[in-house]
Structures are given as structure tokens and as C-alpha cells.
Amino acid sequence: MGLDVGFDMVPPLSKETKDAQDWANFLHCVRGYYKDDPNVVTESHYITFEAGEHPMLPFEGHKFLRFSSNLTGSNATGVYEYIEMVTAMAKMIFGHRVYSWSEAADQHGFYGWDKVYSARKTWGKPDEPESNALLPTTAELGRQATSDQNPDLFEVQQIPGKGRSLIALRDIAKGTRILHERPLFKIKSLPRTEMNKAVVEKLKSLSKEQQRQFLSLHNNFPGQHAFAGIIKTNALPCGCDSRTGGIYLTICLINHSCLPNAHNNWNGNEEYGVETIHAIKPIKAGEEITIDYSLAGPSSTRQPHLRKNFGFDCQCTVCSLPQHELESSDARRQRIQDLDDSIGDPMRMRTRPGASLADCRSLLQLSKEEYGDELASSAARLYYDAFLISVSHSDRARASVFAERAYKARVICEGEDSPSTQRMKRFMEDPTSHTRFGAYSSKWKGSDKFSPSSLNETEFDAWLWRRAD
């Protein structure tokens, strides 16, 4: 018997060009990631992972239904890690078509095993005339309706003074993945003349329709280097501090707000991944979907940055506040920036960890006052800082709580499948796995017998932030 875990492709891929290209990109991603792993073997018609029940990926995506293995037995070592990583890569490309399941959680595969085995028998054989053999049954379609995201969450509309924008077609709940998109192409940061030449080469590999769509993107920097202007206006970094940017035909239409209702995130590594957009607050039908282009801070910092890098003067709800309210907002945002800088001081974290942790709490309270429901993305960073302070001084109990809060915040703004989210989940389960555990001292190491669950809310808050010390 044992326990199986894996994912199914729901609905199955077709033989159409887009599905075939996506599957080829997926296999390229898998091969690249495991190129030095001797247990990942390319056979004549499929890739096999020599662990567990030898899960396989066929070269023809339209014949694929399931990637899975039993987790028990003497040869199961390492198979869970293969399943976990391949599932994550599949989700980056195919999104919610990836139906992941685990019998350990009383979840079962979407398809019956007879259908899975029948599909595998076709691998490497010529295609037979079209049939409905791989299409979901009526019962399976009922299950699919509960696992796939709702379509038509937004539409593109023209807004006077803003151009094309994304507008919610229905109420969108906080934490919803509004869309995920692979870049039309990626390009490294270059001087404007070199950038223009590099874009010309990128465009040669695109279809006429894709070229037209790229040229329709807004350009805040018209002139001699028009292609470079489109890149500067629209490119989003492929990861934190990455010098490689991606161009997206839909996501690049999302406008800026200094108090956004959505958050963008690169989900993957610099070579492979997708850009995701998540609602960080409830969004009403008819409301514009926005993200933040700025570097935070007061309006005196934000406005010049937006003008220089994106070519517009921001008139969002924050920047349009009455003068006295804007001044109050600016004071809060300046204080938030100052606290963030002090928390990041490694010497202070080493010698005065209590003061650094107190600054984290002050930053949290100030951020709630300034951002309200739109707190998730900044909360994820803040709780991670508090986690680092705790693990550096061997405080496993508090580190686990802060990691859990950072994990939950990242689920809202990045999704469960984000590598950063999964990383925080691992730290939540075992704070000692972080490389900095005990790096500064062991003076905060507590008794393993103590459980904060016995504390009431007020006592728990005082304990968590060490306010009684």
C-alpha cells in the first residue's frame, strides 16, 4: 500500500502550438535544473527519475496525465524532493492546471489509475485519431470546477489620463492570485543605445502579433531609442535586485498606486519563472487593479523617482490627499523607512537585539496605521527581520512564531507555491535549519518545555516582543 503523492494535469494538454511550447519549456526547465543529477535520466521517449516508483515525464505533453510516486519503501529516498520541485516548476508554467495531491492529506489523484496507465502506453507511439480517452469525465469535471481558479477576474479598459488599465470584473478576495504570466521576453539592464539593439534582436524571434502587442505598450520616453523607452517604462525585475527584467503583455498594463491593492512578485529563479499578481486587500468589482512602482518613503522621495523612471507625476489616493493629511502620511512613511534602516543594522542586531525587536514592533504598528489592509508585502519583510533577530540569538520559540507570520503574509502576496513562501514554511517548522541560528549568541535560548500557547492575547504579545525584559 503506502502513500502516493504527485500532481495531475487538468485538463490534459492539447497538441496546439501554445501547449506544446509550454511543455517544451517545462522539460527544458527540468533538464536544466537536474543536468548534474545522475538519477534523472533522459530515455528515448521520456525523462525518468530513478527514485521511488521512477516517476516519468514524456516528451509529448498531450500524452501526460500524472507525475507521482509512492513515498514508502527502501528505494523511496529522495523521491519526495523530486515530486516537490517538479510540481513547483510545473505550477510556474501551467498554473492552476497543475492538480497537486497527497494521500497523506487524504487527497487523491484527479484521474483514475486505469486512465493514467492507458495514457502511458501511448508514449513513443504514433498518435491515433482524436478520441475523448484523455478528456476528463463528467465526475472529474465536477472536481475540476472546485480546484481551478475562476476566469474573467478582470478586463482591460481605457482610463482617461492613464491609458489601458486592468479593472476587476467581480469582487476579488484578499490573497487571490489574479493572474500569472510568463514574460514575452527577458532582457538585462543596458545603456540605452545597446538596449535598443538588444530589443531589436529579441523582436526578431517573436511573431508579428507579439511584435504588434509589444509596440502597443506605453512608452514614457519617446525619441531616438523608442524600444529602450518601452523597456524602461514597462520592465519588471525577475527577482529581488535582479538586473534582468521581463516584459509582459498583460501585467505591464497594471498602473501604479502608492497604496496599491495588489502585489507583483517573480515566482521562480532568474532563468525560469512567472510574474504573479495577488490581491493584498479585498478588491471590489469595477475597481482598478494597481501595484506599487515606487521605492516607498515620503512623497518627496517617491515623486522624483516615479517621474525619472516612469515619466509621470503620481496622483493616487495618497499623493492627492489634502496637504495636512499628506504631511502626516509622509511623516509616517519617513519614520517607517528610518525604522527599517535601523532594524537592518547587523551590529545593532548583535549587540542590542531587544532594541531591534522593539523597532520591529513599532514598525508593525506604524505600518498598520499607514497601509491598513494593504500590509501583507511589508509585513512579510518585517516578520522575517524579527525572525532573523530571534534565530541569531538562539530563540527557537519566537523564531517559529515570526516565521509562521511571515509565511502567512507571503501566502497572501506571493502564493503558496512561491519559493520564498516555501522557504518561510520550512523555517516555521524548524527555525534551527536557518544558517544564522545561534550566530550571535545563545542568550535567548529558552526551555524546550515552555509553550506560549498557554498565554492569553495580552500576555502572548508581551512575551513575543520581549516587552517584559
Side-chain angles (χ1 to χ4, degrees):
M1 291 293 290
L3 296 172
D4 279 34
V5 64
F7 74 87
D8 293 7
M9 188 68 71
V10 184
L13 300 178
S14 69
K15 291 190 282 187
E16 298 297 323
T17 301
K18 183 180 184 306
D19 278 354
Q21 289 177 342
D22 284 347
W23 186 255
N25 289 337
F26 169 58
L27 293 184
H28 180 73
C29 178
V30 170
R31 286 194 185 102
Y33 189 85
Y34 291 111
K35 60 181 172 52
D36 298 321
D37 189 332
N39 294 320
V40 179
V41 180
T42 299
E43 305 285 0
S44 56
H45 302 297
Y46 52 83
I47 300 171
T48 184
F49 293 73
E50 296 184 343
E53 295 179 307
H54 289 213
M56 297 176 290
L57 299 169
F59 293 162
E60 296 173 289
H62 63 280
K63 298 180 179 180
F64 171 78
L65 290 183
R66 174 171 296 164
F67 183 80
S68 70
S69 177
N70 195 291
L71 298 184
T72 58
S74 58
N75 62 339
T77 302
V79 72
Y80 179 76
E81 286 72 18
Y82 286 138
I83 298 289
E84 185 178 42
M85 181 54 67
V86 173
T87 301
M89 286 190 276
K91 284 183 176 179
M92 282 191 275
I93 294 176
F94 301 106
H96 289 272
R97 291 179 81 164
V98 177
Y99 181 92
S100 56
W101 52 273
S102 171
E103 291 182 354
D106 199 27
Q107 302 164 344
H108 300 276
F110 189 86
Y111 303 106
W113 278 107
D114 55 343
K115 183 173 288 189
V116 173
Y117 291 139
S118 295
R120 287 181 182 174
K121 290 178 182 178
T122 69
W123 294 2
K125 296 181 180 179
D127 288 334
E128 296 182 0
E130 292 290 339
S131 73
N132 294 325
L134 295 186
L135 296 179
T137 64
T138 302
E140 289 168 343
L141 283 171
R143 273 185 286 156
Q144 181 184 351
T146 64
S147 62
D148 281 358
Q149 67 177 16
N150 279 326
D152 306 323
L153 289 177
F154 61 89
E155 69 177 1
V156 178
Q157 292 183 13
Q158 287 281 346
I159 295 182
K162 288 188 172 183
R164 290 180 295 167
S165 311
L166 264 58
I167 306 297
L169 286 176
R170 63 184 69 181
D171 291 352
I172 302 175
K174 180 178 179 179
T176 299
R177 177 169 291 180
I178 300 171
L179 75 154
H180 62 272
E181 186 177 4
R182 290 189 295 117
L184 180 66
F185 61 81
K186 293 178 289 186
I187 193 162
K188 292 188 179 297
S189 179
L190 295 166
R192 188 165 290 194
T193 303
E194 294 178 38
M195 174 73 74
N196 224 52
K197 293 178 181 178
V199 175
V200 170
E201 293 303 312
K202 296 284 186 182
L203 292 177
K204 289 178 181 178
S205 65
L206 303 180
S207 67
K208 294 295 183 183
E209 176 60 18
Q210 289 173 323
Q211 292 174 1
R212 185 194 65 77
Q213 290 175 307
F214 169 77
L215 294 173
S216 73
L217 293 174
H218 192 66
N219 182 4
N220 284 318
F221 305 94
Q224 182 180 359
H225 305 294
F227 291 162
I230 293 176
I231 298 296
K232 185 174 182 180
T233 304
N234 295 280
L236 291 170
C238 297
C240 182
D241 300 324
S242 173
R243 292 184 59 79
T244 297
I247 292 293
Y248 308 87
L249 297 180
T250 301
I251 289 177
C252 286
L253 303 181
I254 301 176
N255 288 316
H256 162 81
S257 172
C258 296
L259 193 64
N261 54 24
H263 178 75
N264 64 293
N265 178 66
W266 176 253
N267 191 335
N269 57 39
E270 191 168 292
E271 187 173 1
Y272 304 107
V274 295
E275 190 77 13
T276 62
I277 303 294
H278 285 80
I280 56 174
K281 62 169 288 188
I283 302 174
K284 295 292 186 182
E287 187 178 347
E288 184 184 3
I289 297 167
T290 57
I291 58 177
D292 191 348
Y293 300 180
S294 73
L295 297 177
S299 58
S300 58
T301 300
R302 300 194 309 270
Q303 289 283 13
H305 169 77
L306 293 169
R307 194 176 301 117
K308 177 183 177 182
N309 291 280
F310 301 99
F312 67 89
D313 292 314
C314 183
Q315 298 177 345
C316 72
T317 55
V318 178
C319 293
S320 300
L321 287 170
Q323 187 60 34
H324 70 283
E325 292 183 32
L326 179 60
E327 289 174 356
S328 297
S329 171
D330 283 344
R332 284 191 294 270
R333 293 193 181 215
Q334 183 60 60
R335 178 60 180 153
I336 286 170
Q337 195 169 57
D338 292 342
L339 284 169
D340 194 43
D341 290 341
S342 69
I343 292 168
D345 182 347
M347 184 56 66
R348 189 166 181 267
M349 188 186 295
R350 176 192 288 269
T351 59
R352 300 180 60 205
S356 295
L357 197 61
D359 281 349
C360 287
R361 185 174 186 274
S362 298
L363 179 54
L364 177 64
Q365 294 173 321
L366 206 54
S367 296
K368 286 180 178 178
E369 184 179 347
E370 177 65 16
Y371 298 111
D373 285 341
E374 299 87 344
L375 181 64
S377 56
S378 55
R381 284 188 57 226
L382 184 154
Y383 285 128
Y384 181 64
D385 285 338
F387 165 80
L388 282 181
I389 295 167
S390 300
V391 295
S392 296
H393 293 277
S394 308
D395 191 336
R396 182 192 299 189
R398 288 178 180 82
S400 182
V401 174
F402 288 130
E404 180 180 14
R405 293 188 177 187
Y407 160 72
K408 289 179 177 179
R410 289 202 180 276
V411 169
I412 291 171
C413 62
E414 298 181 7
E416 182 73 44
D417 60 348
S418 162
S420 296
T421 304
Q422 289 300 307
R423 181 167 172 259
M424 289 315 306
K425 188 176 184 179
R426 291 194 294 272
F427 293 149
M428 174 185 76
E429 294 166 349
D430 181 13
T432 65
S433 65
H434 196 281
T435 56
R436 285 180 59 176
F437 188 83
Y440 287 163
S441 78
S442 58
K443 65 180 181 181
W444 281 3
K445 184 177 182 180
S447 170
D448 291 337
K449 296 180 180 179
F450 171 74
S451 174
S453 60
S454 62
L455 304 176
N456 62 38
E457 186 176 348
T458 301
E459 293 170 336
F460 184 85
D461 184 77
W463 167 81
L464 180 63
W465 299 102
R466 305 189 73 93
R467 296 173 65 203
D469 289 3

